[in-house]
Amino acid sequence: MPNQKTEPILEVKGLKKYFKVKGLRRKSRNHQVKAVDDVSFTLHKGETLGLVGESGCGKSTTGRAILRLIEPSEGRVLYRNEDILQKSNKGFRKVQKEMQMVFQDPFSSLNPRIRIGESIKESLTIHSIGNRKEREEIVINILDKVGLRPDHYYRFPHEFSGGQRQRIGLARALVANPSILILDEPVSGLDVSIQSQILNLLQDLQDEFKLTSLFISHDMSVVRHISDRVGVMYLGKVMEEADTDTLFSNPVHPYTQALLSAVPVPKIGKKRERIILKGEIPSPLNPPTGCIFHTRCPYAMDICKSKVPEKIQIQDRHTVACHLYS
Ligand code: SF4
């Protein structure tokens, strides 16, 4: 596991993405959905940070905002100490080569009429890497790295299974030799046996390509398997962040404790008491005041309804936003 002494390669500071939503009635005022609200974290070289939380917590929006697939409302994203949100389109294109995204459904981003080899090659053409012959060689080499054959170059997207399509997604992301991968639910749509094949492949590729990764998932078990550190998100905010072993053995935020109580314990005879949270996740259109988790928290106090808890460090590399610890 990379330690904190390795250089930070990506620093996300106070990232916000607010969406304007029009009121239903003609004269009603506009609302804001705070999809990502003041998210900060640092990725060190070679490390994998898992971003986990229930559907709609803002984890995918965070990944997309970092890559400017949607423009953030506020905040800074420093790649090797340079704020990439301040770059012109031309300047940002150079950074794009270094930061690639893998989506849950790679099929939707593939043109059904273009052969797979050509689709993978696109990124090399965009970034002017190699001549025609060299590009083909690079693509055949990357097909091999992700466990596909050279003849797959000439096939069309519909000829591949779900697992093979995710291998193609990885090949497309890796072909230009990036430094950072942002993976958004990359194994969610796959059978469990295929999931583990893709996760193992991903780990091998991370080692071989010396990648730094942000791994976004709703699945705690998957995140535990792949991540060095984990950030837990709820309604657009990071509630707790720690090294994976620490987070799974000593979760301190009530929300993390509830999420983990639903994960099966691998040891026979060992049981974890399930914490059932009351109510539904509140609407992001009208989030609770104070601590956004107070409407569901079993330990909520008066202060939680009015004061937003600050993120505090309770141990080395272990932070939490909760009044129980302030
Ligand atoms: Fe629960 Fe209060 Fe902590 Fe929020 S700040 S998680 S409501 S105890």
Side-chain angles (χ1 to χ4, degrees):
M1 184 201 295
N3 62 37
Q4 64 271 47
K5 287 182 184 147
T6 57
E7 64 184 274
I9 187 165
L10 187 77
E11 293 168 85
V12 175
K13 298 186 175 190
L15 189 70
K16 295 182 183 177
K17 179 62 196 176
Y18 295 173
F19 293 101
K20 280 204 176 94
V21 179
K22 279 203 163 194
L24 287 177
R25 293 201 194 102
R26 206 154 55 93
K27 284 189 180 163
S28 57
R29 65 188 177 91
N30 291 343
H31 296 273
Q32 274 190 328
V33 173
K34 296 179 176 178
V36 177
D37 195 14
D38 203 7
V39 165
S40 301
F41 55 81
T42 300
L43 267 173
H44 293 267
K45 198 163 187 281
E47 124 183 294
T48 299
L49 173 68
L51 214 47
V52 74
E54 293 163 286
S55 171
C57 71
K59 54 193 189 305
S60 295
T61 308
T62 302
R64 284 171 161 76
I66 290 170
L67 285 184
R68 288 173 62 177
L69 297 177
I70 46 175
E71 281 297 329
S73 310
E74 234 182 279
R76 301 173 75 204
V77 176
L78 305 180
Y79 172 69
R80 298 189 194 276
N81 296 321
E82 275 192 82
D83 191 349
I84 60 176
L85 301 186
Q86 301 301 323
K87 285 191 178 287
S88 63
N89 287 346
K90 195 176 165 201
F92 184 65
R93 220 169 291 134
K94 282 189 194 152
V95 180
Q96 269 181 324
K97 178 190 158 301
E98 297 297 327
M99 297 169 65
Q100 293 288 323
M101 189 138 186
V102 177
F103 298 94
Q104 178 180 354
D105 177 16
F107 192 61
S108 59
S109 60
L110 291 168
N111 185 329
R113 287 189 290 272
I114 294 184
R115 293 177 200 277
I116 285 304
E118 296 300 320
S119 287
I120 296 172
K121 205 167 67 178
E122 265 172 13
S123 178
L124 298 175
T125 312
I126 290 169
H127 298 295
S128 309
I129 298 171
N131 57 33
R132 208 172 143 203
K133 187 160 181 301
E134 284 165 344
R135 286 175 197 158
E136 281 183 14
E137 281 167 9
I138 294 171
V139 172
I140 288 183
N141 184 42
I142 201 76
L143 283 172
D144 179 53
K145 297 274 185 215
V146 300
L148 295 170
R149 298 191 309 268
D151 62 288
H152 285 139
Y153 188 110
Y154 304 100
R155 296 201 186 169
F156 291 97
H158 72 270
E159 297 178 71
F160 293 91
S161 67
Q164 284 177 319
R165 284 174 193 165
Q166 201 46 283
R167 288 173 193 269
I168 294 165
L170 285 171
R172 284 186 93 192
L174 292 174
V175 72
N177 201 15
S179 308
I180 294 179
L181 274 193
I182 296 183
L183 303 117
D184 187 9
E185 302 274 7
V187 296
S188 295
L190 304 174
D191 292 343
V192 176
S193 63
I194 309 290
Q195 275 192 6
S196 49
Q197 285 176 21
I198 297 293
L199 288 174
N200 290 338
L201 169 66
L202 191 54
Q203 280 180 318
D204 292 344
L205 293 169
Q206 282 174 324
D207 289 345
E208 183 171 349
F209 287 80
K210 307 216 176 333
L211 290 166
T212 305
S213 307
L214 180 66
F215 190 97
I216 295 163
S217 175
H218 69 281
D219 187 329
M220 294 297 271
S221 306
V222 166
V223 163
R224 181 180 201 169
H225 183 85
I226 199 91
S227 311
D228 301 307
R229 276 192 308 133
V230 179
V232 179
M233 282 190 76
Y234 184 79
L235 273 185
K237 288 181 183 288
V238 175
M239 310 304 265
E240 183 170 1
E241 189 190 327
D243 290 338
T244 306
D245 288 345
T246 307
L247 191 103
F248 279 80
S249 61
N250 181 31
V252 294
H253 194 285
Y255 179 58
T256 316
Q257 290 169 349
L259 277 186
L260 283 181
S261 77
V263 178
V265 181
K267 279 189 190 154
I268 297 167
K270 211 177 172 196
K271 267 194 168 177
R272 196 186 265 146
E273 199 177 325
R274 180 89 195 259
I275 302 168
I276 310 280
L277 293 175
K278 57 185 177 185
E280 299 290 318
I281 302 183
S283 164
L285 264 176
N286 188 20
T289 54
C291 171
I292 44 167
F293 187 56
H294 85 253
T295 52
R296 302 174 80 199
C297 179
Y299 309 107
M301 305 168 282
D302 280 347
I303 189 177
C304 306
K305 293 179 191 158
S306 56
K307 190 168 178 219
V308 178
E310 300 276 329
K311 180 161 108 173
I312 56 158
Q313 183 153 337
I314 54 163
Q315 263 181 8
D316 191 26
R317 286 162 68 83
H318 192 171
T319 58
V320 66
C322 173
H323 290 307
L324 289 173
Y325 304 93
S326 54

